[in-house]
Amino acid sequence: MSFTLAIVGRPNVGKSTLFNRLVGKRLALVDDQPGVTRDLREGDARLIDLRFTVIDTAGLEEVTDDSLQGRMRRLTERAVEMADVCLFLIDGRVGVTPSDEVFADILRRKNAHVILGVNKAEGRAGDGGAIEAWSLGLGEPIRLSAEHGEGMDDLYHILRPIAEGF
Ligand code: GDP
Ligand code: MG
C-alpha cells in the first residue's frame, strides 16, 4: 500500500526543489487531473525503497487581490485533507518567521500528522534554524538540504514506519 505526503510551507523554503528531488523525472500529473488545481502538483515519489505520492503546494507566490494568509490557509487545509502526512518545511537559514508560525498553527489545529523539516541546512547552515524550529511545537525538526540531497536518510527513517501503516 502507499501513502500521500504533502509538502507545505511558505514561499521560497524549497518545497518544489524537494518535490523535484523526490519525483525525479517521474512527474505524474497534473493540470487536467480532477480535484487537482495548478496550486497542487502531484507526483510519484521514490525514496530508497519507499514509493508514495507527493504533493507540492504552490501558487502562494502569485500576486492576487486575495490575502496571502487566506490563500495560505485554504491551500494548506486542502493539502492536509488530501495527504496522510505533511512535511512542513521552513528555511533553516532564515529561521522561524511569523508566516511559519501561522502554518504551524493550521497544522496543529487540523491535527495533521506532521514532519517538521528544516531545509537549506547543508553544512552547518541550518543549525540555528533547527534549534529555533523546536518552538513551533511540532516535535523534533529534521535537517534537510533539498538542493544537495542531505537529510534524505533521516526523512526515510521517519517515513518508513508511516509507510508500514498503509
Ligand atoms: P518553494 O517556493 O518553497 O517551492 O521553493 P523553491 O523550491 O522554489 O526554492 C526556493 C529557492 O531556494 C531556490 O532558489 C532554490 O534553489 C533554493 N533552495 C531550495 N532548496 C535549497 C537547499 O537545500 N539549500 C539551499 N541553499 N537553497 C535551496
Ligand atoms: Mg514552489
Side-chain angles (χ1 to χ4, degrees), residues 129-152:
I131 290 165
E132 262 185 60
W134 282 97
S135 72
L136 292 167
L138 292 168
E140 180 172 4
I142 59 165
R143 288 161 208 229
L144 300 170
S145 173
E147 200 156 271
H148 300 275
E150 294 176 22
M152 295 300 129

Side-chain angles (χ1 to χ4, degrees), residues 9-161:
R10 64 178 180 79
N12 209 41
V13 294
K15 297 181 299 297
S16 299
T17 305
L18 183 60
F19 175 91
N20 289 336
R21 175 170 291 281
L22 291 169
V23 168
K25 289 190 172 23
R26 296 174 303 281
L27 180 58
L29 130 137
V30 223
D31 280 347
D32 46 357
Q33 196 169 316
V36 179
T37 72
R38 70 204 164 95
D39 291 343
L40 295 173
R41 240 180 4 140
E42 195 175 298
D44 294 326
R46 186 190 310 193
L47 183 60
I48 308 180
D49 62 350
L50 295 180
R51 302 278 187 280
F52 52 95
T53 300
V54 61
I55 297 171
D56 180 18
T57 51
L60 297 173
E61 301 82 352
E62 292 162 29
V63 180
T64 68
D65 295 338
D66 225 356
S67 85
L68 178 64
Q69 273 212 7
R71 278 184 294 145
M72 226 163 78
R73 183 166 290 278
R74 282 196 301 280
L75 190 58
T76 305
E77 287 179 347
R78 224 163 70 225
V80 168
E81 275 149 27
M82 290 170 72
D84 300 301
V85 53
C86 294
L87 176 55
F88 171 39
L89 283 192
I90 70 162
D91 182 329
R93 295 173 179 235
V94 172
V96 173
T97 71
S99 282
D100 295 328
E101 282 165 355
V102 172
F103 275 101
D105 193 51
I106 296 169
L107 293 167
R108 277 196 309 265
R109 278 168 203 266
K110 281 263 162 194
N111 245 328
H113 190 139
V114 180
I115 299 167
L116 174 56
V118 177
N119 193 37
K120 309 194 187 181
E122 61 268 12
R124 313 218 53 157
D127 284 6
I131 290 165
E132 262 185 60
W134 282 97
S135 72
L136 292 167
L138 292 168
E140 180 172 4
I142 59 165
R143 288 161 208 229
L144 300 170
S145 173
E147 200 156 271
H148 300 275
E150 294 176 22
M152 295 300 129
D153 46 351
D154 291 337
L155 184 58
Y156 172 80
H157 286 298
I158 290 174
L159 287 177
R160 211 195 134 103

